[in-house]
Amino acid sequence: MTTTFPRTAPSTLGIDARGIAAFLDALESTPDVEPHGLVLLRHGQVAAEGWWRPYDRDRVHLLYSLSKSFTAAAVGIAVREGRIDLDATALSYFPELDADVTDERSRRIRVRHLLAMASGHREETIARAEALDPSNTVRGFLLLPPDEEPGTVFAYNQPCTYTLGAIVRRVSGVSLVEYLRPRLLDPLGIDDLAWRRDASGAEFGYSGCYATTESVAKLGQLYLQRGVWEGERILDEDWVAAATSTQVENPAEANPDWRQGYGFQFWMARHGFRGDGAYGQFCVVLPEQDVVLAITGQSLDMQAVLDAAWQHLLPAVDAADADGAGDDGLEARLASLGLPPVRGGRLPDLAAAGPFTGPELDGLVFTHDVDRWRATIDVDGGTLSVPVGEGEWAVDGALAASGAVDPDGTVLVDVRFVDTPHLLHLRVDPGTATVSASWATEPLHDGPLTLRRPAD
């Protein structure tokens, strides 16, 4: 089942289009901010939506830690079904580990502590947990004695969410996606959602979820509607209230929108609450304004994205001087969004100059396909093949590329992994037949060959 939001002019929804345009200006001009997709809802209707080519509406995007909010929804549904008790200990769901886990604090970690990133550990434990038990992350995590009493200290800690996912799988007997499909995804009309799995076959839970920008907006709208979707209750209202209010204080966080408190896999913010993920994945919910903002992107400065929202979008809602004068211009702009391709001169005969070698790649070969170049990249024991657009992005499956010649004769090729935030820069020297490669943003748990939507 597919459900989509009605689309309405911003002014009809009480939003000044000039504020949305100013927000777009800020996203496109702020250093270390690169938007890929945006959906802005008010009163459950689309006020603005757009995707920066080569990204598009129907393509999923790696959400990184925004995945946590989908995992939390699975827990909330399992609580509603009576499968999970928030006050039960994590260990109680893994009785086979009872003899191994002897630390009293570890034994007192409850489900609600995992949800609130309040296991009692003072810092991230994922590397230590996986080192303690490479085949069972839950066991490795529970073998790490908390530094403080569970529930008393905040630390962003991936094994908390991994363990939540493992509990859902344990009580349901199916994967997270299988559990969510009839209970959340189908009711919301989320047709395409996939999740990266670890070597044991378990979804990461804390990361690795791939979904469209609109799907992110739907999750936000569900929470804005206090857990009800088209008359059907999916999450209990008291669950939503707890998930979206401070369960543990976190005043030591560096950025202002990250130190407003933490709920159940949601951050509190200076305005409303949100789920977010590395490199600019956002699900921002503003209950007072009845607004949801979903953003996907490749942004290193995530605070700058929220600053721009507070500076430009928030005042545009119910602005005293709002009118419909800017609606048409905004609609045209949203339809024409795009990330700039590589600029420069026409590509030379790269087939004659190659093959190219370099320290980061096993090899690079260019061939000419009818009217454009194609790059074949050997990396990590596998091969990537992508057409290279000149003055545009050429898209093939989960890859897009653009290339040009720099004034110094260097060939520049940018390869975008368009199911993810990531961009690979290639610098090719035709004179020496060498190539160097660098990431604009470093992938956190994938290599070039797996930077795409995983198979179901």
Side-chain angles (χ1 to χ4, degrees):
M1 180 177 69
T2 299
T3 63
T4 57
F5 297 108
R7 283 150 179 81
T8 307
S11 61
T12 304
L13 297 172
I15 303 178
D16 190 337
R18 292 170 296 184
I20 301 174
F23 180 58
L24 297 177
D25 289 341
L27 294 181
E28 293 182 331
S29 64
T30 301
D32 292 329
V33 170
E34 180 186 277
H36 294 166
L38 176 149
V39 175
L40 176 66
L41 305 178
R42 192 173 199 212
H43 308 323
Q45 300 179 61
V46 175
E49 61 179 355
W51 287 264
W52 282 257
R53 284 185 295 276
Y55 300 86
D56 63 59
R57 173 197 305 277
D58 296 326
R59 186 175 293 282
V60 295
H61 200 280
L62 173 58
L63 302 181
Y64 278 119
S65 282
L66 182 49
S67 308
K68 293 177 171 70
S69 299
F70 283 91
T71 300
V75 175
I77 293 168
V79 169
R80 176 171 169 77
E81 293 179 343
R83 298 172 185 260
I84 293 177
D85 179 352
L86 291 181
D87 289 314
T89 65
L91 184 59
S92 68
Y93 293 94
F94 307 97
E96 73 277 12
L97 303 180
D98 188 74
D100 295 341
V101 180
T102 58
D103 180 80
E104 286 303 316
R105 284 178 174 164
S106 289
R107 297 178 67 87
R108 288 196 292 271
I109 298 172
R110 299 182 182 188
V111 174
R112 65 172 63 252
H113 300 147
L114 299 175
L115 285 161
M117 294 292 185
S119 62
H121 299 90
R122 293 197 197 103
E123 59 187 13
E124 173 66 67
T125 65
I126 186 67
R128 288 183 290 154
E130 292 178 343
L132 274 174
D133 193 330
S135 64
N136 187 335
T137 301
V138 172
R139 181 175 180 274
F141 169 58
L142 292 176
L143 288 176
L144 286 170
D147 306 291
E148 307 288 348
E149 186 63 25
T152 64
V153 62
F154 171 84
Y156 201 64
N157 194 0
Q158 313 303 336
C160 285
T161 319
Y162 185 94
T163 302
L164 291 170
I167 291 172
V168 172
R169 287 188 293 271
R170 179 63 62 96
V171 301
S172 69
V174 297
S175 72
L176 274 177
V177 175
E178 289 173 309
Y179 184 70
L180 287 171
R181 174 54 59 198
R183 295 168 174 86
L184 178 78
L185 305 182
D186 286 346
L188 270 60
I190 298 176
D191 299 322
D192 193 2
L193 181 143
W195 220 308
R196 181 73 64 206
R197 299 174 183 239
D198 65 15
S200 74
E203 296 102 337
F204 290 167
Y206 59 83
S207 185
C209 183
Y210 287 70
T212 64
T213 321
E214 184 180 61
S215 297
V216 171
K218 288 178 175 180
L219 182 68
Q221 188 67 27
L222 174 67
Y223 274 84
L224 181 61
Q225 294 171 179
R226 314 301 288 177
V228 173
W229 191 270
E230 294 184 350
E232 176 188 354
R233 179 158 292 284
I234 293 174
L235 295 167
D236 286 334
E237 189 166 4
D238 59 354
W239 163 270
V240 174
T244 61
S245 59
T246 298
Q247 299 297 316
V248 61
E249 302 288 346
N250 57 356
E253 295 294 306
N255 292 315
D257 279 299
W258 274 260
R259 57 171 178 260
Q260 305 299 319
Y262 197 79
F264 287 167
Q265 308 290 286
F266 280 102
W267 297 88
M268 305 305 104
R270 288 178 288 172
H271 305 278
F273 61 90
R274 73 182 189 283
D276 65 39
Y279 305 127
Q281 323 318 314
F282 287 102
C283 179
V284 179
V285 182
L286 304 174
E288 290 186 16
Q289 291 78 25
D290 201 20
V291 163
V292 173
L293 172 64
I295 301 176
T296 51
Q298 179 182 230
S299 299
L300 289 167
D301 190 348
M302 292 174 62
Q303 182 62 65
V305 175
L306 294 177
D307 289 345
W310 308 152
Q311 181 179 354
H312 302 293
L313 274 185
L314 203 58
V317 179
D318 292 329
D321 58 346
D323 58 40
D327 289 349
D328 290 344
L330 176 65
E331 183 178 5
R333 178 174 179 182
L334 289 167
S336 64
L337 295 173
L339 298 174
V342 179
R343 302 296 188 189
R346 298 284 299 176
L347 294 174
D349 186 352
L350 295 168
F356 303 91
T357 59
E360 299 89 4
L361 305 177
D362 299 324
L364 171 65
V365 173
F366 289 92
T367 54
H368 204 265
D369 288 353
V370 186
D371 59 348
R372 64 164 42 118
W373 288 98
R374 176 172 287 272
T376 301
I377 306 166
D378 294 326
V379 61
D380 291 344
T383 299
L384 299 171
S385 179
V386 58
V388 181
E390 296 187 70
E392 64 178 0
W393 293 101
V395 182
D396 186 2
L399 297 172
S402 175
V405 175
D406 206 45
D408 67 2
T410 303
V411 173
L412 307 176
V413 177
D414 279 355
V415 180
R416 290 189 177 274
F417 297 76
V418 288
D419 289 348
T420 80
H422 299 297
L423 165 64
L424 183 66
H425 298 299
L426 301 178
R427 295 184 62 88
V428 182
D429 186 338
T432 61
T434 58
V435 58
S436 62
S438 62
W439 291 104
T441 50
E442 192 76 25
L444 300 183
H445 49 62
D446 280 298
L449 298 180
T450 53
L451 280 171
R452 65 188 66 204
R453 180 197 185 282
D456 292 327

